């Protein structure tokens, strides 16, 4: 899908530092934040077509990975989410493993089923949800067959 050299890391300083640590350690450092597991998400920009990288907390649903598009409770979706809507083919690094995946926004019913486990993982999601009228999306990342 993409080579690490061809990926633009998010401009947010603390995220860029964590992404660099994650990448340079081969996935042995920078893999959690506040006790919550994190992954590297490489995705294609919907306008530029350039590959970008960010670090995101994740939950699990069976073999799949779940991302919450909370944006800290902002009234706007995070940019990574908008890009995944346009280009759902992504590349993940989860600890030491890199693989391709496909992103899909969960239906309202599926989101309500997994939401309690996501709030248990990161309790701030509940306050983010109360802070905005925006429907906070949950994205399922499904590994592609090798």
């Amino acid at each position: 899908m993409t080579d690490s050299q061809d990926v633009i890391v998010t401009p947010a300083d603390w995220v860029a530092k964590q992404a660099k640590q994650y990448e340079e350690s081969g996935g042995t450092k920078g893999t959690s934040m506040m006790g919550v597991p994190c992954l590297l998400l490489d995705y294609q920009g919907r306008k530029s077509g350039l590959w970008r990288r960010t670090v995101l907390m994740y939950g699990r649903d069976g073999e799949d990975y779940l991302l919450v598009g909370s944006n800290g409770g902002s009234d706007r979706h995070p940019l990574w989410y908008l890009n995944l809507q346009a280009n759902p083919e992504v590349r993940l690094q989860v600890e030491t493993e890199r693989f391709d995946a496909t992103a899909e926004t969960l239906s309202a019913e599926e989101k309500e089923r997994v939401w309690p486990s996501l709030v248990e993982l990161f309790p701030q999601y509940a306050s983010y949800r109360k802070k905005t009228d925006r429907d906070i999306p949950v994205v399922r990342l499904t590994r592609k067959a090798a």
Side-chain angles (χ1 to χ4, degrees):
M1 191 166 273
T2 182
D3 184 325
S4 290
Q5 312 322 33
D6 300 329
V7 176
I8 299 166
V9 177
T10 184
D13 187 51
W14 67 271
V15 179
K17 285 180 183 175
Q18 186 176 0
K20 182 178 180 183
Q21 182 184 40
Y22 205 127
E23 175 78 22
E24 289 181 352
S25 72
T28 61
K29 295 181 181 172
T31 59
S32 67
M33 182 182 338
M34 296 183 278
V36 181
C38 295
L39 55 73
L40 291 181
L41 173 69
D42 292 354
Y43 59 91
Q44 195 170 22
R46 66 193 185 287
K47 295 178 183 175
S48 68
L50 299 174
W51 282 90
R52 302 185 181 280
R53 173 173 296 146
T54 194
V55 179
L56 295 168
M57 295 175 169
Y58 69 87
R60 296 296 300 264
D61 185 35
E63 295 296 312
D64 295 333
Y65 298 87
L66 300 174
L67 305 178
V68 178
S70 66
N71 205 14
S74 167
D75 288 330
R76 291 178 297 167
H77 289 306
L79 293 176
W80 63 261
Y81 175 70
L82 298 175
N83 288 309
L84 263 55
Q85 285 185 298
N87 300 303
E89 304 306 314
V90 299
R91 184 153 184 87
L92 304 180
Q93 180 166 346
V94 180
E95 296 182 348
T96 60
E97 190 177 12
R98 274 200 177 276
F99 53 93
D100 294 335
T102 302
E104 173 189 18
T105 301
L106 295 185
S107 68
E109 295 78 22
E110 272 197 292
K111 180 171 76 171
E112 290 310 309
R113 179 181 63 79
V114 300
W115 187 255
S117 66
L118 295 168
V119 170
E120 184 177 329
L121 186 68
F122 188 65
Q124 287 91 320
Y125 287 146
S127 62
Y128 293 165
R129 198 178 205 185
K130 290 177 185 171
K131 190 174 163 183
T132 183
D133 291 330
R134 174 176 66 90
D135 181 36
I136 293 177
V138 175
V139 175
R140 175 184 307 284
L141 300 171
T142 303
R143 180 191 301 257
K144 287 184 153 192

